[in-house]
Each structure stands twice: as structure tokens, then as C-alpha cells.
Amino acid sequence: MPEGDTIHRAAATLQRAIGGQVVTRFESVLPKLTRVDAGAPLRGRTVERVEARGKHLLIWFSGDLILRTHMRMNGSWHIYRPGERWQRPHGDMRIVIETAAMHAIAFSVPVAEFVTSRDLLHGNIVSDLGPDPLTEDFRAEDAIERMQARGDTEIADVLLDQTAIAGIGNVFKSEVLFGARINPFTPVSELTREQIAEIVAVATRFMRANVVSGFSRTEAGGGVITYGGMRRTTGRSDPSARLWVYGRAGQPCRRCGTPISRLKQGPFARSTYWCERCQPARTLP
Ligand SMILES: [Zn+2]
């Protein structure tokens, strides 16, 4: 699943590609979107801005119309110059937004809807998001308080709770807890405020580092936004050395050499990776 950093990177790329430009053509295979387009055409509207909120990507059009998409596992936004060949099959196309200079195409996005700024303010899932470390108005104190309020929930699952802190997915969950040396199965109620503050600080550092790195242009000249490949937390660019623990079950810990452990955790049985020596538990899970 793409995490907050990738969504922010995608938003910045889309902003550069189509921000401020007039829509010359809109197309979608999603009836929910085409119905709105039929009544209040996208063509002729200006793309005012593109922004990420947690894992949601919001494209604001003039006339108070906002396209909200969520990538889940396989969704992605690509940008192409007019006439350039798509790098994913046409059958995966869900949304096309064309301007004179650039085409933005959403492939396989499972969640897409038009909303108004009023919808965003009232009762929609975006407004239930916790503070997002990748936004300028992020307040760590707010995230710490929301996390503390999760009581007996294990810290790894609290990090995945988008209403406590937004933008952290399954990869960063394990990486952040290794970075903060916290056992993933510790109920948040057993952590001190200092420990939670350290977790939030590490999460912020890792996520921000991944926003500035990343986006690469293809040989064809089009920017392709792909999810999942570039994330790193160790600061190393070698693909085999870019993460501390995620996906490394049985391999030696990069700090102490202990084989990395893996266990499915939480209501959705998401894999958690950790080092039993660097992140000891009072009682092992
Ligand atoms: Zn270790």
C-alpha cells in the first residue's frame, strides 16, 4: 500500500504537471464520476491545486469541485505528454485529465469521487484524518495525544490508525518502531509520553526524507509515478540496504546481527518485522 510519502510525492508531481492549467478533456470509466462530469463538465475548469491529505489525493478544480482518490494497493497516477505511450494497460485506466501540455491518468484507483469543499469540512473521511507529518501545520503534540488515547492497542496498530496519525503504512510501521527501538506489540498505554514523542519524531524524519527523494523520469520523457519501489529509511541507496527490518525476516539485524523476526499482527493480520534484541518486549508476543 502506498504510504503518505508517496502520496505527497504524487501530489507534488501532479501539481507541477497540471496545476494552474485548464482541463481540455476529461474521461473516466467510473459512472460516479462521469455522472458529475455530464452535469457539470470538467472541461474548461482550471486545476487549482493538487494536495495530499494522509493517503488521499485531492485535485481541486475551479468552481468548487474536488476529485478525491485513494490508491489502496494497486492504484497509481501517471503523467504523460500528449501522444506518449502509457506504461500500464488501457484496461486499467480509470480517469484521464488532459491539459494542453500534460495528461494525468489514474490507473486502477479503487476509490474516486467528486466532492465539494463543504463535503471535505463536514463528515467526510478526509476530515477524520489524524495529523499528517508531511503537512506544514503538523503538530506532533496533537499526534501524541491521539496515539495515547488508543489505550491498550498495540503501538504498531496505532501507527496504522489513520485517525491517530496520518500517512503511515505497513512498511513505515515496522521501520519507525525499529528506529525508535520500541517493541511493536507494546500496548500504547505502557509507553511513556517521551517514547511516543520519539516514535512521532522518527516517523516524521523517515517520511520527510522520502518525500524529497524519489520521483524519476522515464526515458520517454514522461513522469511515471510508481508506488513502493523507492522508499528507504537507512539513508542508503543500494536497493538491498534501503530498509532496516521490513521484508527482512531471518536476515541479520543491521545493528546487532540478530535474525529479524516477523509476525502477523492486528485485526487485518499485517506483517510486522522487528529485532528481538534491539526492540525487546517485557513479555514476548
Ligand atoms: Zn538488532
Side-chain angles (χ1 to χ4, degrees):
M1 166 145 357
E3 308 202 21
D5 61 318
T6 19
I7 302 294
H8 278 261
R9 210 153 62 212
T13 305
L14 282 169
Q15 170 69 33
R16 278 198 300 276
I18 60 171
Q21 296 186 49
V22 175
V23 177
T24 53
R25 196 174 80 88
F26 177 84
E27 182 189 343
S28 178
V29 297
L30 306 170
K32 242 170 110 177
L33 300 188
T34 52
R35 262 201 305 274
V36 172
D37 182 49
L42 268 286
R43 188 189 162 128
R45 292 177 192 254
T46 301
V47 179
E48 291 181 336
R49 66 180 189 276
V50 184
E51 69 175 0
R53 288 200 194 167
K55 294 180 185 176
H56 302 266
L57 194 124
L58 304 178
I59 302 176
W60 300 66
F61 298 94
S62 56
D64 193 23
L65 198 59
I66 302 153
L67 176 61
R68 174 178 82 85
T69 54
H70 192 297
M71 305 301 144
R72 298 251 195 265
M73 303 300 266
N74 298 313
S76 61
W77 276 96
H78 289 191
I79 55 171
Y80 298 101
R81 291 185 209 292
E84 206 176 336
R85 222 184 135 202
W86 295 356
Q87 307 214 342
R88 284 185 65 166
H90 272 69
D92 289 349
M93 181 278 277
R94 299 292 177 270
I95 305 164
V96 175
I97 300 168
E98 293 186 6
T99 68
M102 281 288 184
H103 297 175
I105 294 107
F107 294 98
S108 301
V109 294
V111 179
E113 65 173 353
F114 282 119
V115 296
T116 64
S117 52
R118 202 157 177 271
D119 295 330
L120 284 185
L121 280 173
H122 304 286
N124 158 303
I125 73 182
V126 173
S127 60
D128 293 336
L129 278 177
D132 181 341
L134 294 179
T135 55
E136 279 174 23
D137 58 359
F138 176 68
R139 288 179 59 249
E141 288 301 304
D142 186 15
I144 293 165
E145 270 168 35
R146 285 171 182 244
M147 290 166 72
Q148 278 186 315
R150 299 303 184 270
D152 292 337
T153 308
E154 294 171 350
I155 183 62
D157 286 329
V158 171
L159 287 180
L160 291 180
D161 179 349
Q162 301 300 306
T163 66
I165 181 167
I168 297 177
N170 211 41
V171 176
F172 274 148
K173 173 191 85 177
S174 292
E175 294 295 298
V176 165
L177 292 174
F178 179 84
R181 300 195 180 223
I182 300 290
N183 184 276
F185 303 92
T186 316
V188 74
S189 55
E190 290 180 18
L191 295 172
T192 65
R193 191 179 177 87
E194 288 67 34
Q195 285 175 311
I196 299 173
E198 171 66 7
I199 291 167
V200 171
V202 172
T204 304
R205 203 161 68 230
F206 282 1
M207 290 171 78
R208 290 189 177 172
N210 277 271
V211 171
V212 290
S213 70
F215 176 71
S216 62
R217 299 189 73 80
T218 63
E219 285 171 29
V224 178
I225 304 159
T226 44
Y227 289 118
M230 307 288 291
R231 190 168 297 117
R232 65 184 197 209
T233 55
T234 56
R236 294 184 232 169
S237 51
D238 175 353
S240 66
R242 63 193 173 82
L243 295 174
W244 290 107
V245 291
Y246 183 85
R248 300 191 63 242
Q251 296 178 47
C253 170
R254 299 192 195 283
R255 275 191 191 131
C256 74
T258 303
I260 297 299
S261 303
R262 186 187 91 126
L263 206 63
K264 293 201 184 293
Q265 182 177 8
F268 302 105
R270 310 291 305 276
S271 287
T272 296
Y273 297 84
W274 80 106
C275 171
E276 290 180 7
R277 189 155 167 210
C278 294
Q279 302 162 266
R282 259 189 271 163
T283 38
L284 282 174

